Amino acid sequence: MALLRKINQVLLFLLIVTLCGILYKKVHKGTVLKNEAEDDSEMPEELEGEIPVVICAAAGRMGAAMAAINSIYSNTDANILFYVVGLRNTLSRIRKWIEHSKLREINFKVVEFNPMVLKGKIRADSSRPELLQPLNFVRFYLPLLIHQHEKVIYLDDDVIVQGDIQELYDTTLALGHAAAFSDDCDLPSSLDTNRLVGLQVSPLFQIPTLTLPLSPSLLPQRKIQNTYMGYLDYRKKTIKDLGISPSTCSFNPGVIVANMTEWKHQRITKQLEKWMQKNVEENLYSSSLGGGVATSPMLIVFHGKYSTINPLWHIRHLGWNPDTRYSEHFLQEAKLLHWNGRHKPWDFPSVHNDLWESWFVPDPAGIFQLSHHSS
């Protein structure tokens, strides 16, 4: 009888221990799930007000990226997270420039881009070798660099932002569109036409100085580059088979508002790489056409499948010709200025350097120096 009582006590003890263990696991599991739920609920809230801006900082033109960053940060109250992309040998210099200058207060991440992803995808025969620099293709790989954001802004380094970047970020992307760009053949809306003043074209082009109520992309001497014909070789069967009219308006990928979910869902990066590979094999486009080494594959992949950016948020072609200037009124209205082309505002000759220089952040290391005369 005593033995039986002892066995019952032991069994009862084991039963109590088992129940306690089960109860502990349930309570602990509930706590873990709660913490995860809280983290999940806090993370989107934290990211909701954060605007990610991707910009590249190449070794020889790092001052451009810093000026662009300074202009963005200075003209908004929004919470900006800058993704500053560079190659491995420049990362420490990028960080030093930011941390030892007036930019030290910005929220930023320095991101390394591995050029090995481009191996075998770029032709070496370019009339403009600078267009083949690895960082020129960072825009193709946005989802590999950005993991926690739904919407992202990508900017070329040769831009200055005069408006509140929040406005650009609020650009509406149509359902199913992975990106928004600026059309090269767009006209300002009827509301803008009377307010915007076009280009003052110099006698270099044998036409008198005049004022045009048109988008600057409609310069007659460059119009061929505003269509697909200016970027793709329509003599090639592969291009003809696309069924895209050569007179179709192109777009400029120097300013992009991108939806990362759609980008990944549509496998945009894989599509771009496919056309890069086809160009290596068939020479479908080249910089001798429209300078479109990075633009051309995007024109193919995004044809008919992109939203548009307000024209004021991408006033471009400032770097096309040092003898072509914008009116002061036009420049005041512009939200973003882009010196795309060969003539950069930190070099000579170029135009409207004063607007760019006002945002320049001196290099703490003294390596990047301005080499132009103010115009």
Side-chain angles (χ1 to χ4, degrees):
M1 183 68 71
L3 179 61
L4 183 59
R5 188 182 300 111
K6 189 171 183 179
I7 292 174
N8 288 337
Q9 290 175 346
V10 171
L11 291 174
L12 180 61
F13 174 76
L14 292 174
L15 179 61
I16 293 172
V17 170
T18 302
L19 290 174
C20 289
I22 293 173
L23 182 62
Y24 172 77
K25 286 183 178 180
K26 286 186 175 181
V27 173
H28 181 66
K29 182 178 181 181
T31 303
V32 172
L33 292 176
K34 181 180 180 183
N35 289 339
E36 290 177 349
E38 289 175 351
D39 290 342
D40 289 341
S41 64
E42 290 175 3
M43 184 63 72
E45 183 178 349
E46 178 185 348
L47 295 178
E48 185 179 352
E50 191 172 68
I51 298 178
V53 175
V54 178
I55 191 163
C56 298
R61 45 197 285 168
M62 201 171 289
M66 300 305 165
I69 291 171
N70 185 30
S71 70
I72 296 167
Y73 181 73
S74 301
N75 285 307
T76 185
D77 291 326
N79 180 20
I80 311 296
L81 174 57
F82 292 99
Y83 287 84
V84 190
V85 186
L87 302 181
R88 177 171 296 180
N89 62 346
T90 65
L91 301 183
S92 60
R93 186 180 165 205
I94 292 172
R95 186 173 295 278
K96 179 180 177 181
W97 197 324
I98 294 174
E99 294 179 345
H100 293 81
S101 71
K102 63 185 297 183
L103 299 177
R104 65 178 64 89
E105 295 181 356
I106 70 170
N107 185 18
F108 74 100
K109 292 182 180 180
V110 176
V111 182
E112 178 184 355
F113 181 69
N114 186 353
M116 289 305 295
V117 299
L118 302 173
K119 187 176 181 181
K121 300 183 181 73
I122 303 176
R123 293 181 65 89
D125 54 336
S126 173
S127 62
R128 292 184 62 189
E130 74 272 15
L131 296 176
L132 299 180
Q133 294 302 312
L135 294 181
N136 201 32
F137 300 91
V138 163
R139 71 198 89 189
F140 289 14
Y141 298 93
L142 293 177
L144 301 183
L145 302 171
I146 310 297
H147 303 290
Q148 58 182 348
H149 298 282
E150 169 76 9
K151 200 174 185 182
V152 174
I153 293 175
Y154 167 88
L155 298 177
D156 277 354
D157 60 358
D158 51 353
V159 306
I160 289 298
V161 173
Q162 300 187 135
D164 187 339
I165 198 73
Q166 181 75 55
E167 295 178 22
L168 180 60
Y169 185 74
D170 290 339
T171 297
T172 300
L173 273 67
L175 186 65
H177 286 177
F181 307 97
S182 290
D183 267 326
D184 272 338
C185 298
D186 60 2
L187 289 173
S189 69
S190 58
L191 294 177
D192 292 330
T193 301
N194 293 329
R195 292 167 44 221
L196 299 185
V197 181
L199 287 169
Q200 296 175 340
V201 186
S202 81
L204 178 68
F205 301 110
Q206 298 182 339
I207 52 179
T209 300
L210 72 158
T211 298
L212 303 173
L214 303 174
S215 165
S217 59
L218 292 177
L219 273 174
Q221 72 278 8
R222 293 288 187 171
K223 191 168 184 179
I224 190 172
Q225 291 190 13
N226 295 332
T227 66
Y228 274 57
M229 184 171 60
Y231 293 90
L232 305 178
D233 189 346
Y234 275 83
R235 296 171 298 180
K236 303 296 174 66
K237 182 178 184 300
T238 300
I239 297 300
K240 290 180 180 177
D241 289 346
L242 289 171
I244 302 174
S245 170
S247 62
T248 301
C249 287
S250 57
F251 57 80
N252 188 299
V255 177
I256 307 173
V257 181
N259 181 312
M260 291 294 91
T261 299
E262 281 295 335
W263 193 292
K264 289 182 282 190
H265 176 70
Q266 297 178 32
R267 298 170 63 84
I268 296 296
T269 297
K270 289 294 182 185
Q271 292 187 58
L272 291 168
E273 288 185 322
K274 179 186 103 172
W275 284 103
M276 293 170 72
Q277 189 65 51
K278 280 183 175 291
N279 183 57
V280 170
E281 299 165 358
E282 304 178 42
N283 194 21
L284 303 176
Y285 53 83
S286 72
S287 63
S288 62
L289 291 170
V293 176
T295 299
S296 298
M298 299 196 82
L299 291 178
I300 296 172
V301 171
F302 284 100
H303 173 251
K305 296 184 294 185
Y306 66 91
S307 299
T308 56
I309 292 171
N310 183 330
L312 287 174
W313 270 102
H314 196 175
I315 302 303
R316 46 208 182 276
H317 308 316
L318 274 75
W320 266 10
N321 193 291
D323 296 292
T324 303
R325 300 177 62 86
Y326 288 86
S327 73
E328 292 303 318
H329 177 70
F330 189 88
L331 295 172
Q332 290 171 7
E333 294 284 338
K335 303 287 188 179
L336 181 148
L337 303 174
H338 188 184
W339 280 263
N340 58 313
R342 298 173 184 266
H343 305 281
K344 303 304 183 185
W346 56 88
D347 210 340
F348 179 82
S350 57
V351 296
H352 303 301
N353 307 347
D354 55 329
L355 292 174
W356 185 88
E357 274 193 57
S358 65
W359 301 108
F360 176 61
V361 179
D363 183 0
I367 300 173
F368 186 95
Q369 299 287 339
L370 300 183
S371 58
H372 68 259
H373 305 289
S374 295
S375 61

